[in-house]
Amino acid sequence: MVRIAVLVSGGGTNLEALFRAQESGIIRSGRIELVIADRPAYALERAQSHGCMSMLISRRELGMKAFAEHLAAALEENRIDMVVLAGFLSILPEEAIERYEGRMINIHPSLIPSFCGKGFYGLRVHEAALERGVKVTGATVHLVNGIADGGRILMQKAVSVKPGDTPETLQRRVMEEAEWEILPLCTEMIASAIGGSDENR
Ligand code: GRF
């Protein structure tokens, strides 16, 4: 069974979708063993209510170097095989990205390559989409490499922009209709690929 860690920074609605997918059997090749927040986040309460080990590793209090060291140690000590970034807002240290090459995925709330890269996160993504006047947006799950939102795209799902949409209503629709569906599917896809390759070892 692939041991999965989920990294969070916010409300944890994507984390909640992952727990639901685990309970319903959509995620079956791996198990969420650990939730790590880089700041106080409601997502930690969600982890606790699902009986999942969770920890706060405060980037602000520790500073980047100690944060990176604590994060690497937590992943190592818990024998984590795969990492899911679910609304995670900190820059990951190079060594963590290298250690989990092909085993770390991220959800981005737009159809990459639109509205992504430096400075595009959270509501800003949807503000930019509305400002540009796109009629369709959506979400993307991609492998994580050293470039912000730059790794190989695994899955995307399109969502219509509706007249009168605000950044908030658009964000909610993208979450409900796209993020919460494709992140669990990609988590299972990568976990089963890892599980298969580990079995062959
Ligand atoms: C949301 O903007 C979502 O689109 C992005 O991260 C933010 C927080 O999501 N992926 P969550 O509720 O913490 O999962």
Side-chain angles (χ1 to χ4, degrees), residues 108-109 115-122 124-125 128 149:
H108 182 75
F115 313 118
C116 70
K118 202 160 164 38
F120 283 106
Y121 57 87
R124 293 188 184 188
V125 174
D149 302 324

Side-chain angles (χ1 to χ4, degrees), residues 9 24 27 36-37 51 62 67 86 104 131 145 157 165 182 193:
S9 300
S24 69
I27 296 177
I36 300 176
L62 292 167
F67 170 74
M104 184 184 283
E131 221 166 278
N145 64 9
K157 183 161 186 200
D165 258 336
I182 64 175

Side-chain angles (χ1 to χ4, degrees), residues 9-193:
S9 300
T13 63
N14 278 287
L15 175 67
E16 190 66 37
L18 291 168
F19 280 128
R20 278 202 304 270
Q22 183 169 276
E23 284 146 19
S24 69
I26 289 173
I27 296 177
R28 56 193 171 282
S29 304
R31 186 160 175 67
I32 302 168
E33 301 292 350
L34 176 62
V35 173
I36 300 176
D38 64 348
R39 66 199 72 187
Y42 184 66
L44 289 174
E45 321 245 327
R46 293 185 188 271
Q48 280 138 29
S49 66
H50 284 273
C52 180
M53 180 162 51
S54 62
M55 59 177 72
L56 166 59
I57 303 179
S58 172
R59 199 224 10 211
R60 200 163 53 80
E61 283 171 24
L62 292 167
M64 202 56 211
K65 187 170 176 303
F67 170 74
E69 288 160 1
H70 282 74
L71 180 62
L75 295 174
E76 203 59 41
E77 281 154 26
N78 288 283
R79 296 176 288 114
I80 297 302
D81 304 305
M82 172 183 174
V83 177
V84 180
L85 307 184
F88 188 67
L89 295 175
S90 286
I91 305 292
L92 278 167
E94 264 309 302
E95 55 271 17
I97 292 173
E98 277 157 26
R99 162 76 181 77
Y100 288 97
E101 188 181 357
R103 296 166 168 248
M104 184 184 283
I105 65 176
N106 179 50
I107 176 91
H108 182 75
S110 76
L111 296 176
I112 288 174
S114 300
F115 313 118
C116 70
K118 202 160 164 38
F120 283 106
Y121 57 87
L123 271 182
R124 293 188 184 188
V125 174
H126 305 290
E127 286 163 2
L130 290 172
E131 221 166 278
R132 184 65 187 81
V134 295
K135 303 307 174 196
V136 173
T137 184
T140 303
V141 178
H142 60 92
L143 286 170
V144 174
N145 64 9
I147 304 150
D149 302 324
R152 177 163 67 87
I153 290 175
L154 297 176
M155 204 178 281
Q156 295 188 302
K157 183 161 186 200
V159 170
S160 304
V161 180
K162 293 198 162 58
D165 258 336
T166 64
E168 289 74 12
T169 59
L170 185 53
Q171 177 180 53
R172 188 81 199 166
R173 189 174 317 114
V174 169
M175 283 182 175
E176 283 172 350
E177 297 182 9
E179 295 183 42
W180 300 343
E181 181 182 323
I182 64 175
L183 188 58
L185 291 175
C186 289
T187 300
E188 171 55 24
M189 181 204 300
I190 298 297
S192 62

